[in-house]
Amino acid sequence: MTTVPNLAMTIGDPSGIGPELAMKLCADEENRAKANIKLLASATEVEKYCAELSLSFPYSEEAKPGEVQIVGSELQDQPVKRGEHSVEGGRRVKSDLLKAIGMYKEGKADAIIFLPLNKAALHEAGMHEEDELRWFAKELNYDGFTSELNFIPGLTTSRVTSHCGISQVAARINARAVRDAINLLNDVIKGIGVEEPRIAVCALNPHGGESGQFGREEIDHIAPGVELAQFDGVNVQGPFPPDTTFMRAQKGNFDGVVTMYHDQGQIALKTIGFDKGVTVQGGLPVPLATPAHGTAYEIVGQGIASIGPSQRAFDIATSLGIKTAEAAQA
């Protein structure tokens, strides 16, 4: 029998389109069959948002097959301005994420999907780390390698460095970090069903460094990191100039690409498939997935938010959650 994972779902920033997306996901009968959805919201909130969308779905405070379990939120039913960034929205997001992490620690969740949040509101609410990934790692007491992974259909990326100034990138690149980013990407792509991922690694410098003319990072750090991952059994090649790597990936030559810094991969992925992107907080002990787009305050209450990226985030979280559940049972 296929394992059905327990999936904690937050509504994201209640000022944005997160609640609408959560209701649409919960209303899909196939989703309720794929995972035991545990929604961090109140029954009152569910009824309010469903009424706006002319949707309905079965729910209960108890865990029942085919129904959404309403597990509540510490800040449920509190008034929040909709359609604009607010510290109240940030507090709700932070509180719900802490509860979802607690559910994982208690063995009640195998994966977490969180709907769009506003980073400025979250920082105003007290999250002071450079990004959510570092905050999640702190709350999970995890000090291993982590990387934000970005998905569009057919292609996934990881990063050696992420949310730091461009002037700091070269100093943060070393062979071990490159190997860790490759191995993490390989494991996650396997987790969503690709048996032997084909992975490319981007260079840092123009033209791949031109044999050291434009910098030695490729020679001293990136190529040795690729070799270490190859020794680990990963099907990985590189470093390649990134301006052609993504062209090859788009043609189907690679399942994953390791980039050296944030925009090196994000510009390419968002150009190829902005409306299809999913972000996974990679390397953590619990899978955390979210659609890559923002809170879209400008369309709140109109019922027109696209479900595509959120559905992909749900499916990825579910697939990775199955692995978490099976590992816990082993």
Side-chain angles (χ1 to χ4, degrees), residues 88-253:
E88 291 83 7
R91 288 177 184 143
R92 174 67 182 267
V93 169
K94 183 182 176 185
S95 175
D96 286 356
L97 289 175
L98 282 171
K99 180 168 181 174
I101 289 171
M103 291 170 63
Y104 162 72
K105 291 179 178 179
E106 295 166 5
K108 298 177 181 177
D110 303 307
I112 298 167
I113 176 172
F114 58 99
L115 280 306
L117 52 79
N118 181 282
K119 294 180 186 293
L122 192 53
H123 280 283
E124 290 173 10
M127 191 204 79
H128 301 302
E129 285 69 26
E130 64 187 38
D131 54 31
E132 303 98 284
L133 180 55
R134 308 292 174 249
W135 182 77
F136 286 131
K138 181 193 73 174
E139 295 299 330
L140 287 161
N141 298 314
Y142 182 76
D143 60 3
F145 180 80
T146 59
S147 173
E148 187 174 281
L149 303 177
N150 297 99
F151 295 70
I152 59 172
L155 182 62
T156 307
T157 64
S158 68
R159 309 172 192 153
V160 176
T161 72
S162 191
H163 293 98
C164 65
I166 199 72
S167 63
Q168 303 172 41
V169 168
R172 296 190 182 194
I173 294 173
N174 57 66
R176 179 176 178 178
V178 172
R179 180 189 64 181
D180 287 344
I182 294 168
N183 287 343
L184 173 61
L185 182 61
N186 186 65
D187 289 345
V188 171
I189 296 176
K190 281 186 174 181
I192 60 173
V194 179
E195 290 187 7
E196 187 178 352
R198 300 160 301 160
I199 295 175
V201 176
C202 288
L204 174 66
N205 297 298
H207 302 178
E210 289 280 17
S211 300
Q213 291 188 63
F214 304 145
R216 291 191 55 86
E217 285 80 11
E218 288 76 17
I219 298 169
D220 295 340
H221 305 297
I222 303 174
V226 171
E227 291 174 4
L228 287 172
Q230 289 171 338
F231 183 77
D232 293 334
V234 180
N235 181 8
V236 57
Q237 303 174 56
F240 301 126
D243 56 355
T244 55
T245 300
F246 280 96
M247 293 174 60
R248 295 170 66 189
Q250 189 176 15
K251 292 177 180 178
N253 293 335

